[in-house]
Amino acid sequence: MIPDARGLPRASPHPVSKRMHMSPSTTDPRSAKAVVELKGVVKRFASFTALRQMDLTIREGEFFTMLGASGCGKTTTLRLIAGFELPTEGQILIAGQDVSDVPAHLRPVHTVFQNYALFPHLSVLDNVAFPLKVHRVAKPERMERARAALDLVQMGNFADRRPSQLSGGQQQRVALARALVNEPRVLLLDEPLGALDLKLRKEMQAELKAMQRRLGITFIFVTHDQEEALTMSDRIALMKGGEIIQLDTPSGLYDRPASAYVADFIGETNMVPARILSSDAQGTMVEAMGGQLRVAGSFDQPAGTEVKLAFRPERVGEAVSETDNSVEGRLADIEFIGTDLRMTHHMADGSRIVLRRQNSGLAVPDLGEIRKLSFRPKDLRIFGL
Ligand code: ATP
């Protein structure tokens, strides 16, 4: 990277064809250095606070996702990094430098939008070459780099078409090529797959992820689709009401949700009422679903406290011995969903829980049967009310 006039690192002037076929980055994003930092960032629109006191470090080469329900502030965060909005308070650093007074088009980032934003009157090749024209790259180099970027997204054969002659997925690939042609340090992607049908979306997820690994560019991705976030990301910031409520790896969010909201937002969760019976360093005993269960870890509240007990449907076992940590439930419904079976049970305390098991061809129990359902203490989580 060479510094530009403001001392900001910017992309190398080498043709994309030479740089974009480099071998995969060997840097582990977990130990890489910070590339985007938000320090105490607050964003208010008139009297409405869209972001509250956000502190965030995104590392070089990371696939970082902002996930959350509509209106939680994901796009606002992305727009602040891009420079389309300015923070009301706080500081944004890119590659260690405060970019507060650097306009959007001079920041070493590029944004890919859901609606592609391609120029309809330009060919695919000219669309991709456009950012280089803005930066006054000479025509032969511009075309060479644009062709290389199109090859990268497997659109080399479509260079002469107009955007209107492409499918949605193809237009999104062109938008990606245009974003990559300038070799940004950070690629900002705002629901880039939102307009695609499910099958194409899945294909593009895999392609995007592979491309990110290959190029080693930091991707900051915005989505409200939790499955998409879990599949693609190195880390996910789960946002709610203008705040990050948990920042973690996909497995951390899924297996160790920090709150009932996170457990409920990510994946399917059974959440039943429970009461603390005792708790010490060895574990916690709760009364739930008409029985008693052992939960790993201590819970810092006195016996008698009402809580919520949470667990994933695929972590409910079908008990085999008396020593299992188990409760009884009546099988009320079985749903076939191809690879899996979802079995709904009615419990003695009136709660309903779902057990999910692979559709492996084993015998299926009869509806109405009373069954023992077992739990590993570490698969149960307790949340305050
Ligand atoms: P979605 O998934 O629906 O795009 P989001 O998480 O990206 O949602 P933002 O677009 O960041 O949400 O918006 C966060 C909040 O800030 C919303 O309540 C929104 O109405 C508000 N907001 C965003 N931009 C503006 C603006 N220019 N003026 C006033 N309020 C705004």
Side-chain angles (χ1 to χ4, degrees), residues 278-285 295-299:
S278 65
S279 185
D280 59 30
Q282 316 316 319
T284 302
M285 286 303 296
V295 182
S298 59
F299 188 74

Side-chain angles (χ1 to χ4, degrees), residues 45 48 50 68-77 85 190-191 222 224:
F45 296 105
F48 177 74
S70 184
C72 69
K74 309 179 291 289
T75 298
T76 301
T77 310
E85 300 282 358
D190 192 357
E191 303 251 5
V222 160
H224 63 268

Side-chain angles (χ1 to χ4, degrees), residues 91-102:
Q91 237 189 345
I92 297 176
L93 285 80
I94 300 181
Q97 306 224 7
D98 190 337
V99 291
S100 300
D101 53 3
V102 179

